[in-house]
Amino acid sequence: MPSPDLLDRFAAIVGTGNALRTDADVEPYLTEGRGLYRGATPLVLKPGSTEEVATIMKLASETKTPIVPVSGGTGLVGGGVPRAEGQDVVLSLARLNRIRDVDPVANVMAVDGGVILADVQKAAEEVDRLFPLSLGSEGSCRVAGNLSTNAGGTAVLAYGNMRQLCLGLEVVLPTGEIWDGMRRLKKDNTGYDLRDLFIGAEGTLGVITGAVLKLFPRPRGHQVAFVGLKSPADALKLFEFAAGLCGTALTGFELMPRIGVEFTTKHIPNVRDPLSSVHPWYALIDISTSDAEETAERMIGTLLETAYERGLIDDAVVASSEAQRKAIWHMRESMSDAQKPEGGSIKHDVSVPVSQVPDFMAEAEKAVLAAVPGARICAFGHLGDGNIHYNISQPVGADKAAYLARWREVNAIVHGIVLKHGGSISAEHGIGQLKRDELASIRSPIEMELMHRIKSAFDPAGIMNPGKVLK
Amino acid sequence: MPSPDLLDRFAAIVGTGNALRTDADVEPYLTEGRGLYRGATPLVLKPGSTEEVATIMKLASETKTPIVPVSGGTGLVGGGVPRAEGQDVVLSLARLNRIRDVDPVANVMAVDGGVILADVQKAAEEVDRLFPLSLGSEGSCRVAGNLSTNAGGTAVLAYGNMRQLCLGLEVVLPTGEIWDGMRRLKKDNTGYDLRDLFIGAEGTLGVITGAVLKLFPRPRGHQVAFVGLKSPADALKLFEFAAGLCGTALTGFELMPRIGVEFTTKHIPNVRDPLSSVHPWYALIDISTSDAEETAERMIGTLLETAYERGLIDDAVVASSEAQRKAIWHMRESMSDAQKPEGGSIKHDVSVPVSQVPDFMAEAEKAVLAAVPGARICAFGHLGDGNIHYNISQPVGADKAAYLARWREVNAIVHGIVLKHGGSISAEHGIGQLKRDELASIRSPIEMELMHRIKSAFDPAGIMNPGKVLK
């Protein structure tokens, strides 16, 4: 445990006002949204500059004090929660929240690591540009966390994950040195790709204190359709056709089950079923075009007409206003929250090759229902990325705690089918604590060995977010 | 030097017919296109399987024999040439040239590392898909080399570099273990990004024996325009407008100087100036649309009309057939070759933030002409990526050898201006031997240190393409 004297030395770096030590003050840093983890810490530091972060890491390195970097605290796998024993000092990036500069000609923006995602989106909008990363938590998550988890979200189909949206980084290394990789180049082949190593490392290789982000032209045309269909197989056929027709103008293709529509209309205020008829499955199709609204209109028209003709969809509605578009997206984005009043939900964030989504869904449903009769599968997500949030609400009337106690058992069933299809047990949420041991069990020894060697090369003292990703 | 006995042991792994040892047989592996390097080797191995590569690396590891992996041999920085002392065994990937499978639904293709790029493009076309990487050397370069150098080319603007086109890798490590990272997932956040570490590592961390590549819908509409304009500044304004109008449908935007058009029309058979009027600068604009030819036609029409109105272009022609489109691209792609009959050319492959291209061009021209009066600057390239091939032909009548002897001196001048603008001294060709020492001199000590630590972590014996990228 860090001594009181050592804690004072850390506190002195940021000033007493930015060093939280009372139980009440540190409380918000001990848990995360789903309540799966509860940690402890004697100290939360809120540095105000990259240099302060560097000074903290130097002291941590000298004294072998474990540091847990925290960005927006919206993670879902325990990556930003200190360990329960209270030995970890928390380093919050919340005060590093400046937008450093915006260059709409070069289509780049430089930001501090702690800037809130919604502020990035807004700053891009102000210069008539788009920063496409979009997630449910965009009002509170911060860029360093988006980078450290290689965040995905709803626009990956057209724009890629956070990895694809970042040109450069500034990172404070575990030893306290600052790596200035704030490059703003589209092409730069000069040595090993350090940037992409820090991206997705979940704060185990360094603290991301700055980033250069890519901006895009703002789409001129935007259309959203909500369609009812028979099966994931038909949804896949529709996706394929849409991808061929629209190319990168296809900015979203989300699959949802009937039960998800029922949960959201029942539990989320102001959500209504956009269709009057009932269907076993639904897809949300989002099209954004660069040149003109008419192109988007023509695309969505051609798409739905052809889909009807081919019998791929049974009903469809095209949003006729921005408010309607938002309402349809809101239904999709509140699907996870809508499960809460229905009791316990065992969750999976998996991906398989796009072409194998229907098989995966069928096999997983069969296996899950065999293990947990009456379980209500609310599997929805980014079909176009092969990424399904395979969430399973408890049977009606079941005991919540007893149901949730089967989390690992159900995970093993679903992940087994995912791996059979060459899939990933964490498509976008990362490893953190939640999937750390499982990762080690499914990856080859040589892959784990390489990761451990990288960890040792960057963090020889083992003080950087210990126990996350790797044991 | 490897002993004859050791060479026999290596040869036995691949069979005598696939182990080249005579001077005549190894000759093609000792040089590369520009003739900047000449190496030596006692043995070229041509393994026929990943397992053979692994066996070679195991033996190399045990006996500390340096190995130089060679893909298509079309590199430009000495990365695939053995060292001059003859201690390196060459490992050619030429026989690992199978396309393993093609999945047009998931839009992926799995290939051996040694498959030729043009064969990948063709296999994609056969299932109505596009593999967008396109380079002058596509008929002979191979995928492992494209990956190891993170190749760029002419379609980066819309589709990204090779890094963005690859989902998974199979790599034989320096120690002989095989890392099976042949994932075909669009989203997979499970641990450190090993893939992107091997990509761009120029064969210094392992041998890429397989890859999963992304496919794209084939564009339905395609338009190419060639415009005459006054300056790089006007070209930049035109690019900005085109990017906003066309979004990702803008698949190419190449800048060319008058002298480049003169060199190509003079020296390359069948190349004609597409415009009857003469202009100081030219741009090639390539638009590919997913939905219909009409969209591409409308875009190019709007683009050129507006550009005239704003006084950004002085003349323009739109190619009216596939043959004309190819002819315009051919002019651009033969611009480097067209310099050869003009004597020595000192070359740079640099990038700066897109918004700074005009300033860079003006400053570099001034500095270069001050140092080498009469030098003929033929700077052309991917304006949309900020990537300029800043090639400088010798003054008319100058002594070629004396001119080329000033290579490093001129490099220092141009690279100094590049770095002032936050640019890269190697935008797409990599480091190899050519820029190794310069890299070490311009990067921070901590960045070089991290790269060396990674190198040691992956290649403890230091046998993997030694002397390339890092000293």
Side-chain angles (χ1 to χ4, degrees), chain B residues 357-434:
Chain B
V357 170
D359 284 354
F360 160 71
M361 298 284 261
E363 291 168 39
E365 180 177 322
K366 205 173 150 189
V368 166
L369 292 181
V372 191
R376 293 169 297 162
I377 299 169
C378 184
F380 57 89
H382 321 296
L383 177 66
D385 306 317
N387 178 194
I388 304 294
H389 297 297
Y390 202 88
N391 294 352
I392 311 167
S393 283
Q394 65 177 56
V396 177
D399 178 73
K400 184 175 171 180
Y403 175 71
L404 288 178
R406 300 182 69 182
W407 187 292
R408 297 267 171 195
E409 175 201 345
V410 174
N411 276 186
I413 293 169
V414 173
H415 290 170
I417 298 166
V418 165
L419 294 172
K420 205 192 85 182
H421 288 279
S424 170
I425 62 164
S426 187
E428 56 178 13
H429 297 162
I431 298 299
Q433 305 178 54
L434 182 62

Side-chain angles (χ1 to χ4, degrees), chain A residues 302-325:
Chain A
T302 308
L303 176 60
L304 296 181
E305 251 170 62
T306 315
Y308 271 123
E309 278 167 21
R310 296 189 187 174
L312 293 177
I313 60 175
D314 294 324
D315 200 2
V317 62
V318 177
S320 62
S321 67
E322 187 56 23
Q324 280 190 18
R325 284 190 276 275

Side-chain angles (χ1 to χ4, degrees), chain A residues 421-444:
Chain A
H421 288 280
S424 170
I425 62 164
S426 187
E428 56 178 14
H429 297 161
I431 297 299
Q433 303 178 56
L434 182 63
K435 298 178 183 175
R436 184 194 66 185
D437 296 341
E438 193 174 356
L439 180 70
S441 75
I442 62 169
R443 283 292 154 80
S444 63

Side-chain angles (χ1 to χ4, degrees), chain B residues 99-228:
Chain B
I99 288 177
R100 297 187 186 176
D101 74 273
V102 185
D103 180 346
V105 178
N107 272 322
V108 295
M109 182 191 298
V111 300
D112 283 354
V115 70
I116 288 175
L117 175 54
D119 292 339
V120 172
Q121 296 166 340
K122 218 177 106 197
E125 225 176 290
E126 278 165 11
V127 294
D128 195 31
R129 292 292 181 275
L130 173 74
F131 183 69
L133 189 77
S134 176
L135 325 161
S137 60
E138 60 198 26
S140 49
C141 66
R142 296 172 190 271
V143 162
N146 298 145
L147 286 160
S148 294
T149 57
N150 185 26
T154 51
V156 173
L157 201 53
Y159 297 98
N161 272 39
M162 193 60 174
R163 188 182 300 289
Q164 279 80 47
L165 303 176
C166 173
L167 291 171
L169 289 182
E170 177 189 87
V171 179
V172 175
L173 300 169
T175 42
E177 286 117 328
I178 299 168
W179 174 55
D180 179 0
M182 289 288 278
R183 290 156 202 158
R184 37 186 80 200
L185 301 169
K186 293 194 184 177
K187 292 168 86 170
D188 177 27
N189 283 344
T190 52
Y192 302 151
D193 184 8
L194 301 180
R195 177 191 64 202
D196 286 317
L197 206 44
F198 291 113
I199 295 175
E202 304 185 34
T204 64
L205 299 178
V207 184
I208 296 176
T209 52
V212 178
L213 305 175
K214 282 189 207 169
L215 303 180
F216 294 82
R218 270 164 68 79
R220 303 279 183 276
H222 189 200
Q223 293 286 323
V224 171
F226 188 77
V227 306

